[in-house]
Amino acid sequence: MREETEVIVVGAGPSGLSVGACLRSRGISFEILERSGEVGSSWRNHYERLHLHTVQRFSALPGMPWPPGTPTYPSRAQMVAYLDAYARDFELHPRFGEDVRSARREDGGFVLRTEANEYHTRALVVATGYNRVPNIPTWPGEASFGGSILHSSRYKNGDPWRGKRVLVVGAGNSGAEIALDLWEHGAKPALSVRGPVHVVPRDLTGVPSQLSSLFLFSRLPPKVADAISLFALDRLLGDLTPYGFTRPKLGPISQVIVEKRIPLIDVGTLELVKQGQIDVVKDVRSFSPGEVHFVDGTTRPFDAVVLATGYRTGISDYFEDAEGWLDERGYPRYFGEPVPGAPGLFFIGFRNPLTGALHDIAVEAERVANYLAGEKR
Amino acid sequence: MAELDHWHPVLFADELGKKPAPVRVCDRELVVFRASNGQATLGALADVCPHRGMRLSEGRVEGGRLVCPYHGWSFAPDGEGKSPATPAARPCADAFEVVERYGLIWIKRRGVDAAFPALDVSGYHFIGKTRHRAEAPLEVTLDNFIEVEHTPEVHALLGYPRERMAEVTCEVTSTERSVRVYNEGPQKALPRPLYSLLQIETGDSFVDDWTTWFSPVYTVYDQYWFDPATGQRRPNALRIAIFFVPVTAGQTDIFALSYALAAPWERYGLNAFAYLLTRAFVVMELRRDVTLLGKLADKSPELRGRTLSRFDKPLGLARKRIESIYRGRG
């Protein structure tokens, strides 16, 4: 079936829903296409222990504060309930099961194809998030390993792994928290740290790091902010090199701004690493039956491996000629503003600044809606 | 599984300094120590030297090892021992697993894969930790913490008014691993200034909703208020985790970790002041509980032959799970 619309929003996560709510309040007609059967599908599928790393007061979507009784860091389940309520209150009815297989520019607008339908739209908002496609690296000998190897997107909790030796590959936020979750469930986890990483406690002496970032670091030159934060981290955490964490050359604030990489926000893993409860190991080189070999020449036996190796946006998988708008890692170069040379095209929710992804989405959604309202007039 | 197969809190982390500390848990005497080699490693051993029976807690820590004060034999956190005078000897002390979390030192037996007690306090703000000792067995101590019928008599602030106890609802649900009790009723009258400090109103309903788990034995309480006319929740709530640790057959340590929903930096620091008071209230109310427990005439955990009330249903459910999960019998 062929449909003509004013605006298409792809994705019914926090970004897509926010844009929908902002468009509705400006009286602009739109359709939201969602490949799964529910809103916020990434949040539904994340591991159970996950909480927002950012403060709820600064993580609300446009037009709807978190309900009373919500803790400072809402849980995954609370986030899902919040997104359900958001869609309900703003009467957002995404078209579910509509997986955009291809998208291209045509005659100053856009043509999108799903399995059953073709959509012609004047404006397109891509809100598919940075969690669309799991990154699954491969290593020599993997097939012979024998134990299960699963991506973090399929990890729910540590219950099935009690008493098991589990290697978690990747020391991002998921990897570190999954290692902690495994330990709490009675497993014996090791964390494979693949490169240099900054470690920041979620709360700096009781105050959420997001608040310090919002009020201090976003107003200082990055070099100064780096120096202040490194000074504080040295005193709070000490030297982490003996535990296997090496520090990147770039400071934590610059890294967020220049490389768009957020630091490891520690929710308790570090305390267990320091006590020798969770081992930190090097990058994986290869597998053999029941064993993993590391780049430093060591070999250790494991029963299972969790790949906390992140995701990619997967935009270029379906969007023709999108490369020009994307950086080398596949993230859009333009946020909440018109893409040069592609009028009507917007990307939202693809960055994760220190001030928090949801805070950013809320700001961007209003801007995108304003641009679209301005164009209409 | 037996008692020590589960993680138990035994000390406040800030009580463990450079010196080894003796602890008693489940009728076992243990010594806990902190390595002095710059590492965060902890050790927990049976508090008796395998050589000639000296108390290791009388010794000292050197580097990562605990040294016996009698003949200078030394032991690593995993129990591996050295005898300076007999290098060929391979003594071995009875070692336990030990970890520091939530500001407490926890121990359990080696070689068993018990889960660490689940405590979701992400986004809650720490108010304080307390420890009280009840002169009563584990079951009898727990009983006091899983019914609200005693609150009008025993407590000053916590719980429900005596004259309206009949209105208090008590819903009990259970799974194989847990027992949950949901109580809802009118808030007991409080001194006037407390209402604004706690951000509640006169006539509010008070909910005391808790779940007891049995590996180890602990209860997590969610306490909050709402306006009965609108159902709207008040801004603050408390989450309190209480761990019940048998010291001997007739003594139980009660470790409480208290958290608040309202952030201390909100209301211009007034919440931080409310925290101080809340911490004092928790200490006061727990002291009332343990004082009362010490005065029981019959401390037998046996429930048969007793006349029980509508609030006592969780007691029997807890007994069964303590036997099967915590003590690993039957």
Side-chain angles (χ1 to χ4, degrees), chain A residues 57-264:
Chain A
R57 271 182 71 181
F58 298 99
S59 303
L61 302 182
M64 191 171 133
W66 284 83
T70 307
T72 297
Y73 304 109
S75 68
R76 186 194 62 87
Q78 285 164 330
M79 182 68 186
V80 169
Y82 176 75
L83 293 175
D84 277 335
Y86 196 82
R88 196 175 53 236
D89 283 14
F90 288 98
E91 295 175 19
L92 303 171
H93 304 289
R95 297 194 176 188
F96 293 113
E98 286 286 82
D99 186 9
V100 175
R101 302 284 167 86
S102 75
R104 65 188 155 83
R105 292 179 67 201
E106 193 180 282
D107 303 334
F110 302 87
V111 181
L112 280 73
R113 247 189 219 104
T114 63
E115 193 172 41
N117 300 307
E118 186 175 280
Y119 295 89
H120 291 250
T121 179
R122 193 181 57 79
L124 175 63
V125 181
V126 179
T128 46
Y130 44 76
N131 284 347
R132 191 167 176 271
V133 186
N135 256 335
I136 304 182
T138 54
W139 291 274
E142 224 181 281
S144 71
F145 176 60
S148 68
I149 301 178
L150 74 157
H151 187 263
S152 60
S153 55
R154 287 170 52 216
Y155 178 95
K156 296 297 165 210
N157 63 52
D159 238 4
W161 315 105
R162 178 165 308 173
K164 297 280 197 289
R165 298 159 301 184
V166 185
L167 176 67
V168 181
V169 180
N173 287 322
S174 308
E177 190 164 3
I178 286 172
L180 173 62
D181 191 59
L182 284 163
W183 183 88
E184 286 187 336
H185 282 88
K188 295 173 182 70
L191 184 61
S192 165
V193 179
R194 304 199 293 165
V197 61
H198 285 295
V199 183
V200 175
R202 185 180 57 190
D203 302 275
L204 286 159
T205 58
V207 179
S209 298
Q210 186 203 11
L211 293 185
S212 350
S213 313
L214 264 176
F215 294 123
L216 180 65
F217 297 152
S218 58
R219 286 160 202 202
L220 289 173
K223 284 231 159 89
V224 179
D226 280 337
I228 295 174
S229 51
L230 287 176
F231 179 84
L233 291 173
D234 278 344
R235 262 131 211 96
L236 283 165
L237 305 179
D239 182 12
L240 301 181
T241 324
Y243 305 107
F245 291 101
T246 53
R247 215 172 235 180
K249 286 196 186 75
L250 214 54
I253 311 294
S254 302
Q255 210 183 23
V256 174
I257 296 164
V258 179
E259 295 183 349
K260 300 181 190 72
R261 281 190 56 177
I262 49 164
L264 167 53

Side-chain angles (χ1 to χ4, degrees), chain B residues 146-282:
Chain B
I146 54 175
E147 51 87 0
V148 291
E149 192 184 356
H150 75 283
T151 58
E153 298 295 331
V154 179
H155 293 299
L157 301 167
L158 171 72
Y160 302 98
R162 181 176 298 131
E163 64 284 2
R164 297 179 69 184
M165 275 309 284
E167 294 170 39
V168 176
T169 62
C170 173
E171 294 163 29
V172 182
T173 47
S174 60
T175 69
E176 271 178 33
R177 292 157 68 180
S178 65
V179 179
R180 178 177 174 185
V181 183
Y182 176 92
N183 298 281
E184 186 185 307
Q187 167 62 44
K188 194 185 259 189
L190 297 175
R192 199 58 229 167
L194 284 185
Y195 286 95
S196 57
L197 197 61
L198 298 173
Q199 296 178 273
I200 58 176
E201 306 282 337
T202 48
D204 271 3
S205 289
F206 172 62
V207 173
D208 201 347
D209 176 1
W210 67 74
T211 304
T212 304
W213 305 86
F214 301 91
S215 174
V217 180
Y218 68 105
T219 304
V220 181
Y221 299 80
D222 275 324
Q223 300 179 333
Y224 56 89
W225 295 263
F226 67 90
D227 180 347
T230 61
Q232 183 77 11
R233 273 184 68 162
R234 300 300 179 199
N236 201 4
L238 299 175
R239 180 164 287 180
I240 302 174
I242 301 192
F243 296 85
F244 302 94
V245 182
V247 180
T248 62
Q251 289 179 315
T252 306
D253 272 352
I254 300 159
F255 284 84
L257 299 172
S258 306
Y259 298 83
L261 192 66
W265 57 82
E266 286 165 7
R267 293 204 293 160
Y268 309 101
L270 193 59
N271 281 357
F273 178 60
Y275 278 23
L276 282 176
L277 278 181
T278 310
R279 183 161 50 210
F281 296 154
V282 171

Side-chain angles (χ1 to χ4, degrees), chain A residues 49 51 55 57 68-73 75 159 162-164 180 183-186 188 202 206-208 211 242-243 267-268 271-272 274-275 277, chain B residues 7 38-42 97-103 113-117 120-125 177 232-235 261-266:
Chain A
R49 196 186 192 286
H51 290 73
V55 178
R57 271 182 71 181
T70 307
T72 297
Y73 304 109
S75 68
D159 238 4
R162 178 165 308 173
K164 297 280 197 289
L180 173 62
W183 183 88
E184 286 187 336
H185 282 88
K188 295 173 182 70
R202 185 180 57 190
V207 179
L211 293 185
Y243 305 107
V267 293
E271 188 182 30
L272 294 176
K274 284 182 169 178
Q275 292 176 50
Q277 297 284 338
Chain B
W7 285 106
Q39 306 259 306
T41 326
L42 297 163
E97 278 186 48
V98 53
V99 71
E100 177 177 339
R101 296 202 80 200
Y102 300 106
D113 304 305
F116 195 82
D120 178 9
V121 289
S122 268
Y124 281 79
H125 304 277
R177 292 157 68 180
Q232 183 77 11
R233 273 184 68 162
R234 300 300 179 199
L261 192 66
W265 57 82
E266 286 165 7

